[in-house]
Amino acid sequence: MTPLPIALSCGEPAGVGLELAEKAWQALRDELAFFLIADPFHLPGGVPVILLTDPAEATAAMPKGLPVLPMAFDGNAVPGAPDSDNASAIMDAIALGTSLAMQGKVSALCTAPIHKKALKDGAGFGFPGHTEYLAHLAGVENVVMMLASEQLKVVPATIHISLSDVPKVLTPQLLRDTVHITARGLQDQFGIENPRIAIAGLNPHAGEGGAMGMEELDWINETITQLIQEGYDLIGPLPADTMFHTAARSKYDAAIAMYHDQALIPIKTLDFDKGVNVTLGLPFIRTSPDHGTAFDIAGQGIANPSSLVEALKMAARMARSKAGV
Ligand SMILES: NC(=O)c1ccc[n+]([C@@H]2O[C@H](COP(=O)([O-])OP(=O)(O)OC[C@H]3O[C@@H](n4cnc5c(N)ncnc54)[C@H](O)[C@@H]3O)[C@@H](O)[C@H]2O)c1
Ligand SMILES: N[C@H](C(=O)O)[C@H](O)COP(=O)(O)O
């Protein structure tokens, strides 16, 4: 049976998402089926468009034109200038994609970038990002954000919070939950039966025996020891500055970092063009490009579609694996 199409939510129309959706269609039109949830009037117009009345029509439409499930937006799409009148529809497009995924009408949800502050200002978006919003929509408490590429899979234990809040939010339970969800995701969505996970310390040199911070001695060491005793294949806490070079990465399947930039700097340095944002712990497959709205280049036609293409291909691979095909 032909796998179900992937739903692609449009994200911020003033960003590069719609341009990249057109480029992704050109790259993938003969490889997989996705449809864009967007206002057709916002599209740059670079490719033929086929308006859908039902997601099921996307597979037949894909070779002929970019399938679009139309959603009316109140605002305009001016590159680089988010229109607050679009904010609620941007959220609705994500919610529609989530609903279709939860109903099993699409094989996965891929999300084009949103501008978090624009959504907050325009529609009171009360979440730090897609990850937390999707967990809320799906009714699940614990999910993790993984950035994945062939060179590195990395998960920040804390995401969109200030650095000053990281030590307060980091707890043994959060680390335990993160290890559990990451290990399950590596097994279920990446087919790694016995995943090896490296865990970064919070402090420089993983605390240097207490000389540069006490969290490792106070609870991180003990939590990791307990998790190893429970059967997880873990190493750490490691000094973060020496756990991402080539030789170090060969010793693990995924790394867990303690905060956003400790995780995202290495992967966006190693593989910005092919990195994919995957949410683990949802009851459906969700991927996203590893970049944002790129307002500084929006409208110029120069955005690189590689990350979105990889995100769609990864979602399709995961869907086929889940369906046993
Ligand atoms: N998945 C998401 O929805 C997502 C991901 C990251 C950032 N964001 C949001 O996007 C907004 C802007 O964030 P930012 O400026 O930190 O990061 P960004 O990724 O939008 O831009 C950072 C730099 O990378 C460049 N860049 C990004 N994507 C590119 C592409 N496809 N091709 C060529 N160059 C590209 C941009 O031009 C810019 O110079 C923020 O609101 C942020 O929260 C959303
Ligand atoms: N933290 C990610 C990054 O910087 O690439 C991105 O903002 C993901 O956020 P979402 O939860 O909106 O996918």
Side-chain angles (χ1 to χ4, degrees):
M1 184 179 82
T2 309
L4 293 168
I6 299 165
L8 173 61
S9 55
C10 60
E12 174 52 64
V16 294
L18 295 176
E19 168 192 338
L20 296 180
E22 293 188 344
K23 290 178 176 176
W25 173 77
Q26 289 173 311
L28 297 171
R29 57 190 291 186
D30 299 318
E31 187 171 336
L32 56 83
F34 73 87
F35 63 91
L36 177 66
I37 302 172
D39 188 325
F41 293 103
H42 288 167
L43 285 164
V47 298
V49 168
I50 296 181
L51 296 181
L52 309 181
T53 58
D54 187 288
E57 300 161 3
T59 303
M62 187 69 184
K64 305 166 195 164
L66 171 64
V68 175
L69 188 63
M71 176 180 275
F73 281 55
D74 294 335
N76 299 313
V78 176
D83 184 336
S84 58
D85 290 341
N86 287 325
S88 56
I90 293 167
M91 291 173 63
D92 292 346
I94 298 165
L96 174 57
T98 301
S99 173
L100 291 169
M102 298 279 282
Q103 295 173 58
K105 292 186 175 177
V106 299
S107 60
L109 170 64
C110 185
T111 56
I114 58 175
H115 193 279
K116 301 171 175 65
K117 187 177 184 306
L119 282 190
K120 184 177 179 184
D121 296 348
F125 185 64
F127 301 90
H130 279 107
T131 302
E132 297 84 357
Y133 182 42
L134 292 169
H136 166 74
L137 292 171
V140 300
E141 192 172 327
N142 295 321
V143 295
V144 303
M145 177 178 79
M146 174 183 275
L147 275 292
S149 80
E150 285 183 4
Q151 300 192 57
L152 172 64
K153 294 180 181 68
V154 62
V155 168
T158 61
I159 314 182
H160 294 120
I161 62 173
S162 70
L163 267 183
S164 59
D165 286 339
V166 168
K168 289 175 268 186
V169 172
L170 269 178
T171 63
Q173 192 55 52
L174 177 63
L175 182 55
R176 296 181 64 83
D177 292 341
T178 304
V179 167
H180 174 69
I181 296 170
T182 301
R184 279 291 301 275
L186 291 167
Q187 291 166 329
D188 297 350
Q189 296 191 274
F190 291 94
I192 301 171
E193 194 174 336
N194 299 298
R196 302 165 299 158
I197 300 173
I199 299 176
L202 170 65
N203 297 295
H205 302 291
E208 188 87 15
M212 300 178 192
M214 292 300 294
E215 285 83 358
E216 288 79 6
L217 293 181
D218 287 349
W219 63 271
I220 296 176
N221 295 352
E222 181 187 352
T223 303
I224 293 174
T225 301
Q226 287 170 358
L227 287 162
I228 292 170
Q229 289 167 348
E230 291 167 22
Y232 293 99
D233 186 345
L234 307 178
I235 50 175
L238 301 176
D241 63 333
T242 55
M243 65 183 277
F244 293 109
H245 61 70
T246 304
R249 296 201 312 274
S250 69
K251 295 172 183 165
Y252 57 80
D253 299 301
I256 291 175
M258 294 300 182
Y259 54 91
H260 183 281
D261 284 358
Q262 196 182 54
L264 274 69
I265 289 172
I267 188 157
K268 293 192 181 183
T269 302
L270 281 167
D271 216 351
F272 185 55
D273 292 344
K274 295 285 183 80
V276 174
N277 174 1
V278 189
T279 306
L280 304 178
L282 289 171
F284 56 88
I285 296 163
R286 180 263 172 158
T287 64
S288 172
D290 66 355
H291 59 75
T293 50
F295 282 163
D296 57 330
I297 61 168
Q300 299 176 32
I302 61 173
N304 184 336
S306 299
S307 182
L308 177 58
V309 168
E310 284 306 312
L312 288 161
K313 289 168 74 171
M314 183 180 288
R317 282 198 302 275
M318 289 177 169
R320 285 194 298 271
S321 171
K322 190 175 177 182
V325 294

